[in-house]
Amino acid sequence: MAGVPSTLPDGDPVPPDGSLPDQAYAGMAGRSLSIYLHVPFCTTRCGYCDFNTYTAGELGSSASPESWLDAALTEIDLAAQVLAASNTRRPVQTVFVGGGTPSLLGAAKLTTLLHAVRNAFGLAPDAEVTTEANPESTDPDLLGALHGAGYTRVSLGMQSIAPHVLAVLERRHTPGRALQAAGWARDAGFEHVSLDLIYGTPGETDSDFEGSLRAAIDAGVDHVSAYSLIVEPGTRLARQVRAGQLAAPSDDVLADRYVTADSLLDDAGLHWYEVSNWAASPADRCRHNQAYWTGGDWWGIGPGAHSHVGGVRWWNVKHPARYAAALSGGRSPGHAREVLDDAARRSERILLELRLVTGLDLSLLSDAGRRQAEREAADGLLDPDALAAGRAVLTRAGRLLADGIALRLMD
Ligand SMILES: C[S@@+](CC[C@H](N)C(=O)[O-])C[C@H]1O[C@@H](n2cnc3c(N)ncnc32)[C@H](O)[C@@H]1O
Ligand code: SF4
């Protein structure tokens, strides 16, 4: 998922001009560049969601889509200046507008953003340009305008087809609205349309989830993401679970749902390429997320957005008002940063690459790690043929335990 979690860790300070340490520039020409833009607005907050997003009532007069856009345009210019210090001109390969609810911005602001990215960095001719959209705030006019402006991909939050599941999730749209929006997106000319599903919501039955999968498949999209419901601390959902009003999803149910998702999607021609993501063909995989998972550089624009350039990671201040104040005062909105050492970069690669269908190159592992990989294959969690060819690739059973396996391989 491309969103921004709402809690921010501490780290080293980011200089006011946003400049990067030398190590970020080393080898830059060989890495792809992506831009993430975080839109921190939602009409209402879904009870399970912990992303850095605000309703108009929560923001009052402290921030608005207009003040956010001014600040985001200023950060785009700052990013272009900082990256220009390398004398390496790299057109942007992927852009992802996420949230929050980007569709709430409307076509004019989303078009302005994309033009600004194109002017500041240059956009590769075949760039992937995605926007997330909430079905409720999406219509044929918006989708037509975005396609005309150069957006190439839409990712819609469907979550479920069952009305009582949407009610527990506090989603405001009707069950059919996401499917209708997917049809509008295709009619507008979008080749790439993705639907997000959530499974394991309290009260969801096996057949509810199967119904959601079949509806997503029948919508004819080329990409589906399916996430197990995470009960995030501090959310209304967490309070309801703690008060005993809702039951937390059980691990066994979540595992069964995952197996159902993988077998139904696979039968329908949507194949896994990351533990929670399925696509009709390699060309339909989300290139932006793949850049995150394979060590590309990305600059995250917006409140609370995270960035990663050449082993340097930083994250912006969270509140839209503080974000805008930093930029209008001529300062980087960076809250803190960390420079990853070799051990941290290796651990991160093991965690991320193991989740991919392409798997992990065994040369990343120590001798002990490779012996552990043999044991995981004997337990049915890694594919033995891939292992013999030098890669650790999860089996379906292994995908249920991906993070634990990655930790054991890190020895
Ligand atoms: C930023 S939202 C998508 C766009 C839009 N805001 C919407 O909700 O329709 C990204 C996705 O993250 C997933 N998500 C958010 N919070 C989650 C949670 N606590 N557990 C599982 N998935 C979650 C949802 O599937 C959601 O569609
Ligand atoms: S609409 Fe999307 S981002 Fe907004 S609260 Fe709901 S899940 Fe979170």
Side-chain angles (χ1 to χ4, degrees):
M1 130 184 36
V4 175
S6 69
T7 45
L8 285 181
D10 290 326
D12 301 329
V14 174
D17 63 1
S19 57
L20 296 171
D22 289 346
Q23 93 159 71
Y25 295 105
M28 192 176 258
R31 298 191 302 267
S32 63
L33 175 62
S34 295
I35 302 292
Y36 173 73
L37 295 125
H38 185 71
V39 182
F41 308 111
C42 288
T43 316
T44 57
R45 179 179 282 277
C46 308
Y48 58 90
C49 180
D50 180 38
F51 288 6
N52 188 36
T53 184
Y54 305 81
T55 61
E58 286 166 348
L59 288 174
S61 58
S62 72
S64 66
E66 287 69 34
S67 62
W68 172 86
L69 181 64
D70 283 349
L73 296 176
T74 308
E75 194 188 357
I76 289 171
D77 287 341
L78 173 83
Q81 274 169 33
V82 170
L83 293 178
S86 70
N87 290 322
T88 306
R89 184 152 171 89
R90 295 178 296 169
V92 170
Q93 300 294 329
T94 71
V95 179
F96 195 105
V97 188
T101 307
S103 43
L104 276 184
L105 287 182
K109 288 192 180 64
L110 287 168
T111 300
T112 301
L113 274 181
L114 183 53
H115 284 165
V117 169
R118 192 182 279 122
N119 289 340
F121 306 96
L123 207 53
D126 66 341
E128 176 192 87
V129 183
T130 304
T131 183
E132 285 183 342
N134 186 310
E136 200 180 41
S137 51
T138 303
D139 62 33
D141 289 346
L142 173 73
L143 291 162
L146 295 182
H147 189 258
Y151 283 80
T152 65
R153 190 169 178 278
V154 181
S155 173
L156 289 155
M158 169 177 166
Q159 322 311 355
S160 175
I161 195 72
H164 67 102
V165 173
L166 290 177
V168 172
L169 293 175
E170 302 184 30
R171 300 286 293 185
R172 300 294 158 116
H173 49 87
T174 56
R177 178 76 184 203
L179 306 171
Q180 193 178 26
W184 291 333
R186 280 206 318 279
D187 293 346
F190 283 97
E191 206 184 323
H192 301 298
V193 183
S194 181
L195 289 170
D196 288 345
L197 295 176
I198 288 183
Y199 56 89
T201 301
E204 180 192 62
T205 63
D206 288 347
S207 79
D208 289 333
F209 184 51
E210 275 191 43
S212 299
L213 286 164
R214 290 194 195 283
I217 290 165
D218 291 346
V221 294
D222 64 326
H223 190 284
V224 169
S225 303
Y227 304 113
S228 66
L229 179 67
I230 312 280
V231 181
E232 300 283 2
T235 57
R236 267 198 305 278
L237 176 66
R239 286 194 288 280
Q240 289 167 312
V241 168
R242 207 170 340 108
Q245 293 157 353
L246 293 172
S250 90
D251 287 348
D252 287 349
V253 168
L254 294 177
D256 286 351
R257 298 271 150 83
Y258 183 84
V259 169
T260 304
D262 192 47
S263 54
L264 289 191
L265 292 169
D266 197 67
D267 288 351
L270 291 159
H271 309 294
W272 81 283
Y273 69 99
E274 192 274 346
V275 170
S276 305
N277 289 279
W278 290 259
S281 78
D284 301 316
R285 296 174 183 170
C286 176
R287 284 168 52 202
H288 186 83
N289 284 341
Q290 290 184 105
Y292 288 161
W293 300 324
T294 56
D297 286 349
W298 80 86
W299 195 298
I301 305 281
H306 285 230
S307 301
H308 171 269
V309 176
V312 181
R313 267 203 305 233
W314 69 98
W315 42 96
N316 285 347
V317 293
K318 271 177 57 182
H319 197 279
R322 283 189 63 205
Y323 170 74
L327 285 155
S328 63
R331 297 185 311 279
S332 158
H335 170 74
R337 77 179 180 198
E338 65 182 347
V339 178
L340 300 179
D341 60 19
D342 287 347
R345 294 177 82 158
R346 173 177 170 271
S347 303
E348 190 168 284
R349 280 190 63 186
I350 293 174
L351 268 172
L352 294 175
E353 292 177 28
L354 184 66
R355 295 175 64 86
L356 302 176
V357 71
T358 42
L360 179 69
D361 192 327
L362 291 182
S363 65
L364 261 183
L365 302 184
S366 65
D367 289 347
R370 278 193 285 267
R371 283 195 297 277
Q372 182 61 32
E374 298 285 349
R375 287 193 285 274
E376 304 288 352
D379 290 343
L381 303 179
L382 290 178
D383 177 340
D385 296 336
L387 201 65
R391 301 197 76 81
V393 176
L394 295 168
T395 59
R396 186 183 278 168
R399 277 181 268 153
L400 297 169
L401 304 166
D403 292 348
I405 298 171
L407 289 177
R408 293 196 289 272
L409 294 181
M410 279 175 201
D411 276 4

